[in-house]
Structure formats: structure tokens, C-alpha cells
Amino acid sequence: MTDTLSPQEDWYAANLPLRKQVIADVGANAGRLSEFFWRAGGGSSTVVSIEPLAENIALLRARLPAEAAGRWRIERCAGSNRSGNVRLHAGRTRGSGWNSVIHPSGTRRTRAQTLAALVPDVTVVKLDIEGHEHEVLEEALPRLPAVLAWAIELHQRPDRSLQGVLGLLMAHGYRVFAAIQEPQRLGVWVSHEISATLDWSDVPPSGTRADGQPIRTLHVLALRHPPAR
């Protein structure tokens, strides 16, 4: 990991409690954010990297420093709303890792587990699992009331409304903030509080799928307290 933080890491550093926490990185991929969480906590936090793909597990293990033994662990499984076996679609990313998504037509099989079973004492959750975050949140929010902060990459899906997931987070006591980029400071993410009336049509698309449908994602923080900036 370089000393220069990405805009996402800088946003997390400014707004998330990262010291003396139990942090779950769900969809850890190659482990850059897991390593960021470990370093940002200065060794005071426990980090749990949850990742199903063997290719990414190897990259994650290469990041583990000796001093993290017992405080940073890797769970090879998919985060889901149930325990058991699931199928995955998997493919290479533009960087060094691989992406995967739970899908019934996937060609890979892997173990799935609920967040409450994997990390029952979790206090901070980063969740980026290519659309399956909706199922995880619906199952985990009522079971993990001690979580102080959720950092989520929400993906548009035709069977889940944005208002529904935002309303669910708010119903469990969180204020929800989206990342926006300031025109005056390119590459800097700042927090904008949003309401449950926000619709996916309000979110600019980041690209187009093979079927011509727009791709929309939204980085959000669900916090028990207002962000630091």
C-alpha cells in the first residue's frame, strides 16, 4: 500500500471510527481497503477480511504484516443473508484482483455465511459485493444493532429500490450520507446527507451494461453520528 490515500480512503479516514473498532471488510477483493483499515487503526482495531475467491485470498495474505497476527484475519467465504453454499460469477478487475457476485447461474461454488455469524461483535462494516448488499443489509441490520457505521457501495438492481434500502438504514437509527465530488477540488469526496426520497434516476450513470441499461452505484456512509466534515 502506498502512503497516498485514494479519495475513498481519505473519505473513510475523515468520517469513520477506525481506532479500537472491530472492522469487517465484506468483499475484501485484493485487500487494499483491509490494509487501509489496519493501518488507520494503528494496530488498535481488529480487521476481518471476508472474501470468497482464492485468487484474492492469496493477494490478501501477502498483505498481512507479522504484527497483525491475531488482529487481522481472513475468512474465505461470501457474505450473504444465509449460511450454506452459493454460486458465483467471477472475473478479473482492471487492477490486480478479481470481482465476484452471487448468482444462481454462476460457475463457481463457495461457502456463504451471515455477517452476524462471522463477526458478531463487529462495529464498522465496509460492504461492497456487487449488488448482493441488499440481502446482507436486510438480514444483518436487525441482528447487529451495535454497528456504529456502514460504508456501502450500493448497486442499482431492478428488484430493489434505492428508497427502500435508504429507508431501512434510517429505520435502524442511521443518518445516511453520500459521497459527492466538489467541483473546486477534483478527486476529493465530501459527504452530503441524503433522504429516503432519493431515487436511482437522481444518480448519474457510471457506464452502460451489455444490454444497454445504465450502471448506477452510490457510495454511502450510514452513521450513528454526523461525519467529521
Side-chain angles (χ1 to χ4, degrees), residues 72-84:
W72 177 1
R73 78 175 194 267
I74 299 170
E75 293 281 354
R76 184 182 172 184
C77 67
S80 189
N81 59 340
R82 61 182 179 84
S83 301

Side-chain angles (χ1 to χ4, degrees), residues 25-46:
D25 184 0
V26 188
N29 200 269
R32 170 160 178 154
L33 283 175
S34 290
E35 185 177 0
F36 160 74
F37 292 135
W38 173 257
R39 292 194 179 190
S44 68
S45 293
T46 297

Side-chain angles (χ1 to χ4, degrees), residues 51-153:
E51 170 58 42
L53 295 181
E55 295 90 341
N56 287 336
I57 294 294
L59 297 171
L60 269 161
R61 286 177 176 153
R63 291 180 181 269
L64 285 172
E67 65 271 18
R71 301 298 300 276
W72 177 1
R73 78 175 194 267
I74 299 170
E75 293 281 354
R76 184 182 172 184
C77 67
S80 189
N81 59 340
R82 61 182 179 84
S83 301
N85 292 321
V86 295
R87 290 181 177 271
L88 299 175
H89 282 309
R92 283 190 179 275
T93 66
R94 293 179 182 177
S96 58
W98 288 62
N99 272 347
S100 63
V101 59
I102 292 176
H103 196 278
S105 67
T107 58
R108 297 199 189 192
R109 288 182 178 271
T110 192
R111 177 174 70 99
Q113 188 56 276
T114 66
L115 190 55
L118 288 168
V119 200
D121 54 346
V122 64
T123 58
V124 176
V125 181
K126 184 234 97 182
L127 183 60
D128 180 3
I129 48 176
E130 305 300 320
H132 196 64
E133 65 275 1
H134 297 273
E135 283 85 353
V136 169
L137 286 167
E138 290 163 358
E139 194 276 339
L141 280 168
R143 296 185 64 193
L144 295 170
V147 174
L148 301 174
W150 293 82
I152 313 162
E153 184 173 345

